[in-house]
Structures are given as C-alpha cells and as structure tokens.
Amino acid sequence: MSISTVITAAGKNSRMRKDQISRGIEVTNKLILPFKDKTVIETTIDNALSSNIDECIVVLGHYASEIREAIFDNYKDEVIFIENDPVDVGLSTSLYHGLSNIGSEFALCITADQPTVTTETFNEMIEVSQSSDDPYHTISILRRRKTGWLDTAEGLGMPFVAPRENLMRYLENEDDNLNPILRKIFDDGYAFYGIKEKNEKELLNINHYDDYIKLLD
C-alpha cells in the first residue's frame, strides 16, 4: 500500500515570535532556525524522506516566502511545496489541503516543528498501520500517555499514520486543532495504537524559544 508524507509548515509562529521579541532576539520563523547542520524544517523533512514513504508534500501558509527562500533549492527535486490560500486557516485545514494533493492510500502526517522525531519512529508507525488487521480503520500515532492499543485519543496530535480518504472526510469543512477531530475519529470506532518514543525529545514540539534551546542540547 502506498504512503505519502504531509508536513504542515503553515503556522503563524506567534509564540516563538513573542518569545524572541521579549528576549531582544532577531525575529525569525522557528522553522528556519538552525538545527544541527541545517534548519528545523529541513531536519524534519530529511527524517521523513529517509522513512518508507513514496512522496513528500510540504504545506506552507504564513511566512511561505521566507521558508521557500531558505530551503526550496535544496528540496525542489524531492518535495512538493503547496500553499494555503487563504493563509489564515487552522491546522486541520492545512492538513486537508496537503492530503488533497497526494495520490497515496495512506498518509504520514507530521508538523514541521518536530525535527527530533526519528526516521525509526516514523517507520514503526508505518509498519503498525500497514500490518494491522484493518489498516483503513487504524491510526498509529506517537504516544503521549499510554503505548499500544489506546483507550482514548485525549491529548494526541501529530505525527501519525492514517488512511487518506477516511481522514479527509473528518477534516473536510473543519478549521480547528487536530485533537477534537482525533477524538471524534476514536469515538467512531477507529483503533489507535500509541508508538513509544525513542527518547524524550521526540515528544517535544518547538513552540517556544525555550523548547528550541532544550532540543539543541
């Protein structure tokens, strides 16, 4: 079964921007801050491209031109970049837009501010999804609380692997964060499997400047 990656990189950067201003630091989109030998978003893309996927889509929105200028030339042959129009939409809309532009049956859904989630973890999510008894009604997801088969979707978000068409039905006409949508999917009888992180940093998104500093250590 084919699988594509959708990476959402369309956010307002508001919390990071506020932190940078309060610290007197030059305001820079968090996704193009240096991380290891590249940037935050490039590290996320590289980890995704190294996993068992067929294609990679990056969804841009706010700061699209800034992000394109920083990374486009490095990935123009490996990644398809699309842009939200209008840009001021929620995460669910960005994800729906990305899913609308892939041809695979399944999607590995990632946010661009997750550079520490390893290729190994992505591959484990893919393996659990594809080997389940009913892949079209299973979501494998990086755990937040329990591991294995879950009894709630409370607190969950990206990254996860899900069947494309079924997920799109839940995202259509929504403009929200993902957790309320994931809870609805769970309540409708989908099986959720929580993948254990390889290290504690995999569980941390870069929202604030302190998150960024912590992940650099």
Side-chain angles (χ1 to χ4, degrees):
M1 291 178 279
S2 58
I3 183 162
S4 301
T5 291
V6 175
I7 300 176
T8 57
K12 292 181 179 179
N13 195 52
S14 55
R15 286 173 286 190
M16 178 64 76
R17 182 182 178 87
K18 182 178 179 181
D19 288 349
Q20 289 169 331
I21 291 171
S22 69
R23 291 168 181 250
I25 300 170
E26 180 182 358
V27 175
T28 305
N29 186 283
K30 65 182 179 179
L31 300 182
I32 58 173
L33 288 172
F35 193 85
K36 298 182 178 179
D37 297 326
K38 293 193 174 183
T39 62
V40 169
I41 186 172
E42 286 175 303
T43 306
T44 302
I45 291 172
D46 287 349
N47 290 340
L49 288 173
S50 297
S51 65
N52 298 325
I53 61 163
D54 298 293
E55 66 176 343
C56 181
I57 304 283
V58 173
V59 183
L60 302 173
H62 294 280
Y63 305 99
S65 59
E66 185 178 351
I67 295 171
R68 275 185 178 273
E69 182 178 353
I71 73 167
F72 179 77
D73 286 345
N74 295 334
Y75 293 94
K76 60 185 177 181
D77 297 326
E78 298 179 280
V79 172
I80 299 169
F81 292 90
I82 61 174
E83 294 188 27
N84 288 331
D85 183 17
V87 298
D88 196 16
V89 295
L91 179 57
S92 63
T93 301
S94 293
L95 183 55
Y96 182 86
H97 190 193
L99 293 168
S100 300
N101 283 271
I102 66 173
S104 300
E105 296 174 90
F106 292 84
L108 168 61
C109 304
I110 309 169
T111 61
D113 61 357
Q114 297 179 312
T116 54
V117 182
T118 62
T119 296
E120 184 181 1
T121 293
F122 291 147
N123 281 337
E124 188 174 350
M125 285 193 284
I126 293 169
E127 171 61 25
V128 167
S129 164
Q130 305 301 277
S131 64
S132 69
D133 291 339
D134 186 0
Y136 292 94
H137 291 87
T138 298
I139 293 179
S140 56
I141 193 162
L142 182 61
R143 73 102 186 191
R144 296 304 188 273
R145 299 170 186 167
K146 296 180 180 179
T147 60
W149 298 109
L150 303 179
D151 56 8
T152 178
E154 192 73 34
L156 295 175
M158 292 199 277
F160 61 81
V161 174
R164 170 184 173 268
E165 289 188 6
N166 291 0
L167 179 58
M168 287 181 67
R169 283 197 286 269
Y170 284 93
L171 294 172
E172 191 173 14
N173 300 320
E174 296 286 350
D175 190 30
D176 201 351
N177 289 324
L178 283 183
N179 185 253
I181 297 168
L182 291 173
R183 292 202 306 268
K184 179 171 174 43
I185 295 171
F186 181 89
D187 290 343
D188 283 348
Y190 282 68
F192 279 63
Y193 189 97
I195 302 295
K196 181 173 175 54
E197 71 281 5
K198 302 300 179 288
N199 58 71
E200 64 177 14
K201 289 184 177 181
E202 284 197 308
L203 298 177
L204 185 63
N205 293 24
I206 299 175
N207 292 314
H208 294 279
Y209 195 78
D210 284 343
D211 299 330
Y212 171 63
I213 296 301
K214 183 176 181 180
L215 291 184
L216 287 180
D217 291 340

